[in-house]
Amino acid sequence: MCACGPRHNITDSVSVPLITGVATTQLRLSNASNLQQSDAAAMVVQNEEIVRIFGFWTGVLTLKLLAMSLLTARMRFKKKVFANHEDAKLLPKARVAYDDEDVERVRRSHLNDLENILPWVAITYIYLGTNPSTFLAGLLIRGFVLARIGHTLSYAVYPKQPFRGISFGIGLAITVFEAVSTIIHYL
């Protein structure tokens, strides 16, 4: 048995749940190496509980990411500072500026989310194909989401260090762990 999974005979038929956790497919294998390639290509997850956890918490992160756009807009209207002339015309005494500290803080927090959440979603999706334990995968997923929420609160809402740095570090460590685990698994 290799690190990628068990070997199968030429005529083996395998039913595997796809990452969606809903659909299953029958794979007709022509040789053992096709199973390994098919598993990696289809992102097979053996445990639907992990898919459920990933789906729920990724949904939470998506809503949080969308909320950052609203938080940025709220700050722009509150401070009457906009990035475009046509937006500044909406309010009396509004101005175009790119250096307002409060607006830029929220905007940078949003940018930081984009730089960290999107790679995490991608690598976690692939990491789940390595068939990690439900406990570990759930801990990593929940830990990342809570770290990102903590980062936003300590960056854009109630600016505080060292909380911002700690929450960033936790999220980064989880992403790096999943990436390294995935690379090692698929070597």
Side-chain angles (χ1 to χ4, degrees):
M1 183 157 112
C2 81
C4 298
R7 300 271 181 191
H8 293 275
N9 294 328
I10 290 174
T11 59
D12 284 352
S13 226
V14 180
S15 179
V16 293
L18 298 177
I19 192 98
T20 60
V22 177
T24 59
T25 186
Q26 289 287 327
L27 299 175
R28 179 61 70 181
L29 304 174
S30 61
N31 61 41
S33 66
N34 281 350
L35 174 64
Q36 294 164 8
Q37 293 168 358
S38 297
D39 283 351
M43 293 311 306
V44 177
V45 175
Q46 301 295 327
N47 187 335
E48 290 187 29
E49 178 67 14
I50 293 173
V51 175
R52 188 188 67 74
I53 293 168
F54 178 64
F56 175 81
W57 288 104
T58 300
V60 168
L61 269 183
T62 301
L63 291 176
K64 179 209 162 314
L65 198 53
L66 293 172
M68 291 304 297
S69 295
L70 298 175
L71 189 59
T72 303
R74 178 181 163 261
M75 187 60 70
R76 286 192 182 282
F77 277 92
K78 178 180 174 183
K79 301 286 299 247
K80 296 182 180 182
V81 174
F82 296 93
N84 302 304
H85 292 286
E86 63 271 15
D87 297 335
K89 292 178 184 177
L90 294 173
L91 296 174
K93 297 184 182 179
R95 62 189 173 90
V96 174
Y98 305 103
D99 60 354
D100 183 86
E101 180 62 31
D102 296 326
V103 172
E104 286 303 304
R105 176 174 285 282
V106 174
R107 202 181 65 72
R108 285 190 311 268
S109 179
H110 190 190
L111 181 60
N112 191 278
D113 274 352
L114 291 170
E115 292 168 346
N116 288 276
I117 292 172
L118 298 177
W120 175 82
V121 169
I123 196 61
T124 300
Y125 178 84
I126 298 167
Y127 171 72
L128 295 181
T130 68
N131 199 23
S133 75
T134 303
F135 174 76
L136 179 59
L139 183 68
L140 293 172
I141 290 167
R142 290 177 185 106
F144 182 85
V145 173
L146 294 175
R148 291 311 305 174
I149 291 170
H151 182 268
T152 295
L153 292 175
S154 62
Y155 197 151
V157 182
Y158 305 106
K160 281 284 188 198
Q161 278 289 19
F163 303 113
R164 188 177 92 210
I166 291 169
S167 58
F168 174 82
I170 290 169
L172 181 64
I174 289 170
T175 304
V176 169
F177 173 81
E178 289 178 356
V180 170
S181 296
T182 300
I183 290 168
I184 290 170
H185 177 83
Y186 288 114
L187 273 178

XYZ file of all heavy atoms in Angstrom, residues 14-51:
276
model
N -15.028 1.297 -7.709
C -15.011 1.925 -6.401
C -16.051 3.026 -6.373
O -16.112 3.854 -7.273
C -13.611 2.514 -6.093
C -13.592 3.161 -4.737
C -12.558 1.438 -6.201
N -16.876 3.073 -5.317
C -17.829 4.162 -5.142
C -17.243 5.112 -4.111
O -16.908 4.704 -3.004
C -19.160 3.612 -4.652
O -20.069 4.661 -4.469
N -17.072 6.395 -4.487
C -16.444 7.353 -3.590
C -17.282 8.612 -3.498
O -17.819 9.083 -4.491
C -15.024 7.717 -4.063
C -14.085 6.544 -3.964
C -15.043 8.266 -5.473
N -17.445 9.167 -2.287
C -18.135 10.456 -2.193
C -17.207 11.566 -2.647
O -16.043 11.576 -2.297
C -18.463 10.579 -0.705
C -17.472 9.703 -0.027
C -17.119 8.610 -0.997
N -17.714 12.480 -3.454
C -16.920 13.621 -3.883
C -16.907 14.673 -2.794
O -17.659 14.606 -1.838
C -17.471 14.188 -5.191
C -17.429 13.216 -6.371
C -18.060 13.854 -7.589
C -16.020 12.785 -6.679
N -16.098 15.693 -2.955
C -15.932 16.728 -1.931
C -17.240 17.417 -1.590
O -17.414 17.938 -0.519
C -14.865 17.763 -2.342
C -14.500 18.661 -1.160
C -15.333 18.627 -3.471
C -13.289 18.257 -0.467
N -18.209 17.387 -2.494
C -19.484 18.033 -2.217
C -20.213 17.340 -1.078
O -21.080 17.920 -0.458
C -20.391 18.024 -3.453
O -20.633 16.669 -3.828
C -19.773 18.802 -4.589
N -19.848 16.081 -0.829
C -20.506 15.354 0.248
C -21.866 14.830 -0.162
O -22.556 14.206 0.616
N -22.274 15.060 -1.394
C -23.600 14.662 -1.832
C -23.503 13.594 -2.910
O -24.092 12.533 -2.799
C -24.383 15.884 -2.376
C -25.733 15.455 -2.896
C -24.539 16.936 -1.295
N -22.761 13.897 -3.951
C -22.713 13.008 -5.098
C -21.710 11.883 -4.873
O -20.729 12.033 -4.165
C -22.319 13.799 -6.338
N -21.982 10.729 -5.471
C -20.997 9.651 -5.514
C -20.843 9.247 -6.959
O -21.705 9.504 -7.798
C -21.434 8.428 -4.668
O -22.672 7.948 -5.178
C -21.560 8.786 -3.210
N -19.742 8.615 -7.231
C -19.474 8.216 -8.608
C -18.854 6.834 -8.614
O -18.239 6.420 -7.639
C -18.547 9.230 -9.307
O -18.438 8.866 -10.672
C -17.168 9.283 -8.692
N -19.039 6.116 -9.684
C -18.400 4.817 -9.874
C -17.179 5.027 -10.749
O -17.292 5.585 -11.846
C -19.354 3.843 -10.570
C -20.495 3.378 -9.701
C -20.035 2.412 -8.639
O -19.108 1.636 -8.844
N -20.670 2.472 -7.485
N -16.035 4.641 -10.256
C -14.813 4.745 -11.041
C -14.444 3.358 -11.544
O -14.286 2.443 -10.749
C -13.658 5.299 -10.189
C -13.829 6.698 -9.605
C -12.647 7.004 -8.699
C -13.947 7.718 -10.706
N -14.339 3.182 -12.849
C -13.860 1.929 -13.421
C -12.371 2.110 -13.648
O -11.962 3.020 -14.359
C -14.582 1.633 -14.736
C -14.155 0.375 -15.427
C -14.379 -0.881 -14.650
N -15.794 -1.179 -14.550
C -16.248 -2.219 -13.899
N -15.409 -3.041 -13.302
N -17.523 -2.436 -13.819
N -11.589 1.267 -13.002
C -10.150 1.462 -13.023
C -9.507 0.562 -14.070
O -9.795 -0.618 -14.134
C -9.564 1.147 -11.649
C -10.200 1.957 -10.518
C -9.674 1.476 -9.195
C -9.904 3.416 -10.704
N -8.623 1.151 -14.858
C -7.900 0.356 -15.840
C -6.581 -0.149 -15.264
O -6.048 -1.126 -15.736
C -7.655 1.158 -17.113
O -6.885 2.296 -16.822
N -6.062 0.532 -14.256
C -4.881 0.063 -13.540
C -4.783 0.789 -12.206
O -5.513 1.732 -11.959
C -3.592 0.226 -14.370
C -3.319 1.677 -14.723
O -3.501 2.553 -13.896
N -2.905 1.922 -15.959
N -3.872 0.358 -11.357
C -3.778 0.900 -10.008
C -3.400 2.368 -9.992
O -3.870 3.121 -9.147
C -2.756 0.089 -9.191
N -2.566 2.814 -10.913
C -2.151 4.217 -10.893
C -3.308 5.149 -11.229
O -3.328 6.293 -10.817
C -0.988 4.452 -11.848
O -1.406 4.246 -13.182
N -4.289 4.685 -11.986
C -5.456 5.516 -12.285
C -6.231 5.865 -11.030
O -6.786 6.945 -10.931
C -6.391 4.828 -13.276
C -5.890 4.940 -14.697
O -4.955 5.667 -14.967
N -6.507 4.193 -15.598
N -6.308 4.954 -10.058
C -7.018 5.251 -8.817
C -6.343 6.409 -8.101
O -7.012 7.341 -7.668
C -7.056 4.038 -7.886
C -7.655 4.323 -6.492
C -9.121 4.718 -6.642
C -7.493 3.162 -5.576
N -5.011 6.376 -8.022
C -4.313 7.455 -7.336
C -4.542 8.780 -8.046
O -4.797 9.786 -7.414
C -2.824 7.142 -7.262
C -2.531 5.933 -6.400
C -1.140 5.394 -6.637
O -0.341 6.007 -7.327
N -0.847 4.237 -6.075
N -4.466 8.800 -9.369
C -4.699 10.023 -10.113
C -6.149 10.477 -9.975
O -6.425 11.651 -9.814
C -4.343 9.825 -11.579
C -2.860 9.607 -11.792
C -2.555 9.133 -13.199
O -3.448 8.929 -14.011
N -1.277 8.942 -13.479
N -7.093 9.547 -10.019
C -8.511 9.902 -9.907
C -8.830 10.441 -8.523
O -9.609 11.374 -8.395
C -9.386 8.685 -10.195
O -9.192 8.262 -11.520
N -8.250 9.839 -7.489
C -8.490 10.331 -6.137
C -8.048 11.769 -5.995
O -8.761 12.599 -5.451
C -7.745 9.479 -5.093
C -8.432 8.156 -4.819
O -9.567 7.969 -5.307
O -7.840 7.321 -4.127
N -6.855 12.091 -6.490
C -6.351 13.457 -6.369
C -7.178 14.409 -7.223
O -7.488 15.519 -6.804
C -4.879 13.517 -6.777
N -7.556 13.980 -8.415
C -8.309 14.858 -9.313
C -9.722 15.109 -8.804
O -10.254 16.202 -8.943
C -8.345 14.258 -10.706
N -10.354 14.111 -8.209
C -11.734 14.255 -7.755
C -11.823 14.801 -6.334
O -12.907 15.061 -5.852
C -12.442 12.902 -7.817
N -10.697 14.998 -5.658
C -10.676 15.485 -4.285
C -11.606 14.650 -3.409
O -12.548 15.145 -2.817
C -11.052 16.966 -4.225
C -10.039 17.872 -4.863
S -8.349 17.582 -4.355
C -8.468 17.671 -2.599
N -11.341 13.368 -3.366
C -12.166 12.437 -2.625
C -12.038 12.695 -1.135
O -10.949 12.818 -0.606
C -11.748 10.989 -2.953
C -12.537 10.004 -2.135
C -11.938 10.724 -4.435
N -13.176 12.807 -0.482
C -13.222 12.947 0.964
C -14.033 11.782 1.504
O -15.176 11.570 1.110
C -13.857 14.287 1.379
C -14.010 14.366 2.879
C -13.017 15.433 0.874
N -13.443 11.017 2.387
C -14.104 9.837 2.915
C -15.118 10.167 4.009
O -15.993 9.385 4.296
C -13.057 8.862 3.476
C -12.049 8.402 2.455
C -12.683 7.573 1.351
O -13.638 6.842 1.568
N -12.158 7.708 0.150
N -14.992 11.325 4.637
C -15.791 11.657 5.797
C -16.685 12.863 5.500
O -16.208 13.987 5.389
C -14.844 11.950 6.965
C -15.566 12.150 8.268
O -16.733 12.532 8.308
N -14.857 11.908 9.353
N -17.981 12.623 5.386
C -18.900 13.705 5.068
C -19.030 14.721 6.200
O -19.402 15.864 5.962
C -20.259 13.145 4.679
C -20.215 12.452 3.336
C -21.575 12.024 2.837
O -22.582 12.678 3.185
O -21.621 11.033 2.104
N -18.709 14.339 7.420
C -18.739 15.269 8.550
C -17.730 16.391 8.344
O -18.008 17.555 8.636
C -18.450 14.534 9.866
C -18.405 15.420 11.080
C -19.747 16.043 11.447
O -20.787 15.614 10.930
O -19.755 16.969 12.268
N -16.567 16.051 7.807
C -15.549 17.063 7.528
C -16.063 18.038 6.464
O -15.873 19.243 6.578
C -14.226 16.410 7.074
C -13.601 15.610 8.222
C -13.246 17.452 6.575
C -12.385 14.809 7.821
N -16.719 17.513 5.441
C -17.264 18.371 4.383
C -18.313 19.312 4.966
O -18.379 20.491 4.616
C -17.850 17.523 3.235
C -18.530 18.402 2.200
C -16.757 16.686 2.586
